[in-house]
Amino acid sequence: MCASCCPRFSPVAMCARASKKIQAWQLRSCSAWTLLSKDQGSEVAGSFVLSSSEYLRFCRAFYRVELYFCLFRCRNSLGSVPFHEHRFFSNLPPWEKEQLASVQDFLELKLSQSSHDVLAHDVEFGELEIDYITTGDNNHFRQLWLSQGVDFIHRLMSESSYNSKKALLKSAFVAGKVDLYEALISPPETDLNDDVPLSDYADEDLAALFPPTESQDKDSDKGPFEAWRVAFNPLPRSAWVMLTNNYGLRERAYVFWDLDRIETYDMMKLFENTPEDSELQRAYDDMDEMRESFEERSKIWQKGGSGYWSKNDASRIVWPTWQDGN
C-alpha cells in the first residue's frame, strides 16, 4: 500500500488530524445545527455540544470518506486492489452510508464555494468549459477535485490568491480520480429487484438485513437509524441511500444526531419540513449564465487572451505583447 497516499489512522486520530487543519467535522456539525436553528428559531438556537456518540459519528464519517479517496485514487500505484471501490462500503448499513453522503455533500459545497471565483471567471477554464454548477457524478472535474481529499479542499479554502487557487486546481489535472458519489448511489445487485418499501419491514427484518457491525457495537444509539427510517419509509432497498430530494436532510446532518437530541428538539418534525434542495442545488438557476460565459471566454482565449473575465468587463484580461518585427 502507498503509505504516503493512505496513512493508517484510527477514526479519532484522523479526525484530530483534520481538526488541526480545517476542523472539518466541527464545520459540518455547526453548519447543520445553524440550519436547524433557522428552521425552528429559538427552539434549537444557540450553541451546542456534541455528545461523545455524535462526535464519534462525525469523526468516523470523515475518516471513512478520506480513506476511500486515499485508497482508490491511488489504485494505479498500488498494484492489485483487493476489492472494487463500489464494494468498499458494502458492509455498512444505509444510515451510515447516508452519513458518508452528508460528508460528500458538505465537501462538495466547500469545494464549490472556494473554487467558484476562479471557475466562473478564468478565461482558460472557460475555454475548457469546466462546469462549476452541476452536482454529483455528472461533473467530472468536481469529482476529480473531491477525490484529492480533505486536505486538498482545505488548501483551496485557505488560499487567498486567485492565481494560487487556479494553480492548485490545475495541479490535480494529472491526479487520480474516484467517484464517491457513484459508489454511494450504486445499490448492491441483490437490491435491484426488491420493490418492497421500507415501511413493510419489521424491526427484526431490518436486524436480519443489517446485522450489527463493529461500529454499531460502539454506537448503539438509535437516533441515526430512526431518522433514516422516517426519510426512506416509502422506498425500496435500491433507493435507501443518497436520494436527490434528501439534500436538505443531509445538509442538516440528520443521521448524526442522538435519539435523545432528536426527541428533545422534536427534530423529526423539523425533518418533515426540510427543503428538498440545498445551497449547492440552488446554483442551477445560473446554468444559462454559465454557458454564456463559456462562449465569451472561449472567444477571448482563441484570440490569445487570458486572465480574469467578467461580463461586460475586459479590464483584467491579459493580452500577449507583440514585439516589433514579430
Side-chain angles (χ1 to χ4, degrees), residues 32 41 44 174 176 275:
V44 294
V174 295

Side-chain angles (χ1 to χ4, degrees), residues 25-227:
W25 62 271
Q26 191 172 39
L27 285 173
R28 169 71 287 188
S29 60
C30 288
S31 65
W33 192 254
T34 297
L35 286 171
L36 287 166
S37 299
K38 291 178 180 178
D39 289 343
Q40 199 165 333
S42 60
E43 259 190 72
V44 294
S47 59
F48 78 108
V49 177
L50 293 174
S51 72
S52 58
S53 296
E54 291 168 338
Y55 171 81
L56 175 63
R57 284 179 213 123
F58 280 104
C59 286
R60 185 181 62 204
F62 273 90
Y63 163 75
R64 284 170 168 167
V65 167
E66 182 74 347
L67 182 61
Y68 176 85
F69 286 144
C70 284
L71 178 61
F72 291 109
R73 75 167 179 260
C74 300
R75 61 187 181 274
N76 290 336
S77 63
L78 294 178
S80 61
V81 176
F83 36 70
H84 193 275
E85 62 262 29
H86 286 193
R87 299 174 184 170
F88 185 61
F89 306 120
S90 61
N91 66 327
L92 298 182
W95 52 95
E96 290 189 16
K97 290 182 181 178
E98 277 287 273
Q99 292 169 0
L100 307 184
S102 178
V103 170
Q104 136 83 32
D105 290 349
F106 174 75
L107 292 176
E108 185 172 359
L109 175 62
K110 293 304 175 185
L111 172 64
S112 174
Q113 291 172 336
S114 56
S115 64
H116 183 272
D117 191 43
V118 176
L119 298 184
H121 296 282
D122 187 76
V123 171
E124 182 181 2
F125 284 0
E127 165 66 10
L128 295 172
E129 296 189 355
I130 295 181
D131 186 339
Y132 53 87
I133 291 179
T134 305
T135 60
D137 60 341
N138 290 322
N139 190 326
H140 166 81
F141 280 103
R142 188 173 284 181
Q143 292 304 320
L144 171 67
W145 289 319
L146 282 172
S147 299
Q148 309 317 304
V150 174
D151 184 60
F152 179 89
I153 295 171
H154 161 247
R155 289 165 60 198
L156 191 63
M157 292 169 62
S158 302
E159 291 287 359
S160 57
S161 161
Y162 171 89
N163 288 331
S164 296
K165 283 181 181 287
K166 180 180 177 180
L168 182 59
L169 290 168
K170 289 186 71 173
S171 72
F173 283 1
V174 295
K177 170 183 172 288
V178 66
D179 197 329
L180 174 61
Y181 186 96
E182 183 183 2
L184 289 173
I185 65 173
S186 299
E189 293 181 4
T190 54
D191 294 355
L192 293 176
N193 298 319
D194 186 346
D195 59 358
V196 178
L198 177 57
S199 57
D200 285 0
Y201 285 84
D203 287 349
E204 55 269 25
D205 297 327
L206 290 172
L209 275 177
F210 308 112
T213 62
E214 182 180 351
S215 62
Q216 289 170 279
D217 289 340
K218 297 177 181 178
D219 178 17
S220 59
D221 188 273
K222 292 295 184 181
F225 167 75
E226 294 296 343

